[in-house]
Amino acid sequence: MSKSGLVLMATAIAVIGIMMIPENISAEQNSVTVTPINEEISLKQTITTMNVPEDNTLPWGTVRGAPSDYVERYPIIIQFYKGEDPVHFAQVDVKGDGSYEYKFRVRNVDLETGEAVNIFQGEYTVKIFRVIPNSSETI
């Protein structure tokens, strides 16, 4: 895939939140942890649960973060797990306002048979990592 294709597929960074384009797909934030890296920056990890129902008919899902503080040149890392098994990883850059968005396929069409194929189905753990500036001078 070309660099411009990757840029179109994965754009920018910010606060943690997951929203799925298909309305019958749900996501719920479970936990947030902040781990200092050094005196200036920390790694913020958000763990959320995504549920894709068996009867989903829409093709796309999206992981989004609202505008917030961020550290330039550090991308957002998004990891999808089915149980303990890694399923899909992505990296997206921060937009100028501190937001990010990653759009991914939830459902596809088999070109040979014309049948719809669910890429994601059931419950997934989604881990989102981003680098943030430290807000306390004691870290």
Side-chain angles (χ1 to χ4, degrees), residues 10 54 60 81 84 109:
E54 192 173 311
W60 295 100
Y81 293 87
E84 296 295 318
V109 175

Side-chain angles (χ1 to χ4, degrees), residues 26-96:
S26 63
E28 178 180 313
Q29 183 172 313
N30 298 339
S31 70
V32 175
T33 56
V34 176
T35 306
I37 296 172
N38 59 34
E39 299 81 31
E40 297 176 1
I41 59 175
S42 293
L43 182 65
K44 184 173 185 178
Q45 175 188 17
T46 299
I47 299 175
T48 186
T49 302
M50 175 180 78
N51 188 16
V52 181
E54 192 173 311
D55 62 350
N56 173 54
T57 59
L58 298 172
W60 295 100
T62 303
V63 177
R64 291 184 186 143
S68 73
D69 288 337
Y70 66 96
V71 179
E72 288 186 36
R73 298 190 315 250
Y74 287 94
I76 297 290
I77 305 297
I78 304 168
Q79 302 174 343
F80 295 82
Y81 293 87
K82 180 90 170 184
E84 296 295 318
D85 298 326
V87 175
H88 182 75
F89 291 174
Q91 176 178 311
V92 295
D93 293 324
V94 66
K95 293 180 183 176

Side-chain angles (χ1 to χ4, degrees), residues 86-119:
V87 175
H88 182 75
F89 291 174
Q91 176 178 311
V92 295
D93 293 324
V94 66
K95 293 180 183 176
D97 67 356
S99 66
Y100 67 90
E101 179 175 271
Y102 176 67
K103 186 175 181 180
F104 61 97
R105 280 289 213 176
V106 175
R107 188 174 170 93
N108 210 353
V109 175
D110 183 325
L111 296 178
E112 292 181 21
T113 65
E115 289 186 42
V117 177
N118 291 330
I119 299 168

